[in-house]
Amino acid sequence: MRYVTFDFDGSPLPLMLTAGALFDIYDRFGVHDSILRATGAMEDTPQGWMACCELAELLMQQAALWRRRQGYAARKRATGWPWRSQDRAAVRTAVRQAIARGFYRAVPSGEDAGEVNLVLAAREDERAEDPERLRVGFLAVCAARLHLTPADALLLTPGEYLDMVTLLSGG
């Protein structure tokens, strides 16, 4: 399963880190650190809790996009669900698990396990730190090598993208 299910007031709510979500995070916070450190989502402060709620909302939106793309019916929900009224530990755990699942790689590689910075995976030069250049490079690889449309490419998890590139590279 590509997403984590969070029990939101008795209803299952999927959370999923996709390439689209990762690029949104890169645009907002930069590309120099892990997602959880860069966003401050795990900090035990009011700002950290707000960042965690915003991150949970983004991951929920991406899971909904992926499910609709897979043919599932859209679920009706009120906008601005009160993430802040949920158990903090449970939300933080679900966000942490969704991010870990997004970076999970099924194809073994020689790299360290854990979060993979797509900037470093795509290029080693200074220009790769620009999120827009990264997005263009990612979509170009997906179109040319993986034969994916931009909409499909942005719904990949970072781990799936790296697995496909690894397999096509013969490694």
Side-chain angles (χ1 to χ4, degrees):
M1 187 179 307
R2 298 170 42 151
Y3 54 84
V4 170
T5 302
F6 177 73
D7 181 21
F8 194 94
D9 291 335
S11 297
L13 181 68
L15 303 177
M16 182 177 180
L17 178 69
T18 63
L22 190 61
F23 289 127
D24 287 349
I25 293 165
Y26 284 171
D27 288 343
R28 185 165 175 199
F29 297 101
V31 294
H32 298 288
D33 207 349
S34 80
I35 292 171
L36 295 176
R37 278 194 303 270
T39 62
M42 296 296 126
E43 294 175 7
D44 193 20
T45 63
Q47 296 83 6
W49 176 236
M50 184 59 74
C52 185
C53 292
E54 290 173 8
L55 191 52
E57 181 73 16
L58 175 63
L59 297 174
M60 185 269 314
Q61 291 169 357
Q62 291 298 305
L65 286 172
W66 180 82
R67 289 177 56 80
R68 279 197 302 269
R69 188 76 173 177
Q70 297 301 312
Y72 293 97
R75 294 181 180 170
K76 296 199 187 290
R77 73 165 186 87
T79 57
W81 278 0
W83 283 100
R84 289 171 288 204
S85 68
Q86 299 298 309
D87 177 53
R88 288 182 182 208
V91 173
R92 285 189 171 123
T93 298
V95 166
R96 189 179 300 112
Q97 288 174 345
I99 290 172
R101 180 123 348 129
F103 284 108
Y104 172 76
R105 296 197 57 190
V107 176
S109 71
E111 302 168 8
D112 291 338
E115 186 172 320
V116 177
N117 186 328
L118 288 182
V119 172
L120 298 178
R123 294 193 184 120
E124 293 293 333
D125 62 30
E126 290 293 318
R127 295 172 296 172
E129 294 179 4
D130 177 28
E132 188 58 33
R133 289 183 60 86
L134 174 62
R135 186 181 343 269
V136 169
F138 168 81
L139 292 173
V141 168
C142 286
R145 296 192 64 202
L146 304 178
H147 306 287
L148 293 172
T149 65
D152 289 330
L154 291 173
L155 290 176
L156 290 173
T157 65
E160 289 172 328
Y161 166 74
L162 292 172
D163 283 348
M164 285 190 232
V165 170
T166 300
L167 288 173
L168 287 174
S169 301

